[in-house]
Amino acid sequence: MAEEAASDPIDICPSSSHDVVACLMCSLLKTRDQFYDDGCDNCEEFLHIQNNRDNLHDFTTANYYGVVSLMQPKESWVAKWQRIATFKPGCYALRVVGKVSSQVLADFAVPEEQMMRYRGEVAFNASS
């Protein structure tokens, strides 16, 4: 937890209000340049967005609603409600509109835990 609190808020928020997109898997908000330069803080190990324009296009969307900023996700009731308490601190969309095909999810070996959180039209969690 001390590691999360030590993060500089500037580093975990979109660097501008222009060209902000959301990760389709975890709803993290960043500018396209931030996703390209740094990847997704939560999903990079399997989505490989960093330095990959095709994956950036496939796994992010500018079509989202609402924003919540989380500084200490493990202690936040909002994070628990949104099912993002295990994610990194940052700004998240409340609702993301878009989908990733089930074939792409399988091809990228998305972990089962992450697929349970996925809220797109190809959701694997029947209660979502």
Side-chain angles (χ1 to χ4, degrees):
M1 184 169 67
E3 188 175 301
E4 287 178 345
S7 295
D8 186 357
I10 300 301
D11 293 338
I12 60 176
C13 294
S15 59
S16 105
S17 60
H18 176 70
D19 208 23
V20 174
V21 293
C23 174
L24 285 169
M25 293 301 298
C26 71
S27 304
L28 179 68
L29 295 173
K30 290 183 168 186
T31 64
R32 287 184 199 279
D33 288 342
Q34 285 176 302
F35 271 117
Y36 184 78
D37 293 341
D38 305 324
C40 179
D41 297 3
N42 301 301
C43 308
E44 186 59 26
E45 69 183 77
F46 52 88
L47 293 185
H48 311 291
I49 295 173
Q50 186 175 16
N51 298 320
N52 187 320
R53 296 265 181 226
D54 290 336
N55 289 358
L56 175 64
H57 179 265
D58 290 343
F59 297 117
T60 63
T61 180
N63 197 357
Y64 64 88
Y65 299 97
V67 176
V68 62
S69 295
L70 297 176
M71 299 307 290
Q72 296 177 324
K74 292 178 182 164
E75 298 176 20
S76 168
W77 69 267
V78 174
K80 290 174 188 167
W81 183 262
Q82 290 295 114
R83 292 190 245 162
I84 57 175
T86 60
F87 290 170
K88 306 282 185 183
C91 296
Y92 291 85
L94 293 175
R95 181 168 178 244
V96 174
V97 179
K99 66 179 181 176
V100 178
S101 75
S102 57
Q103 183 61 49
V104 169
L105 291 174
D107 290 348
F108 278 82
V110 177
E112 184 69 26
E113 178 183 311
Q114 190 71 17
M115 289 192 301
M116 295 298 283
R117 288 191 192 104
Y118 179 58
R119 297 183 197 146
E121 293 180 29
V122 189
F124 289 87
N125 184 353
S127 65
S128 289

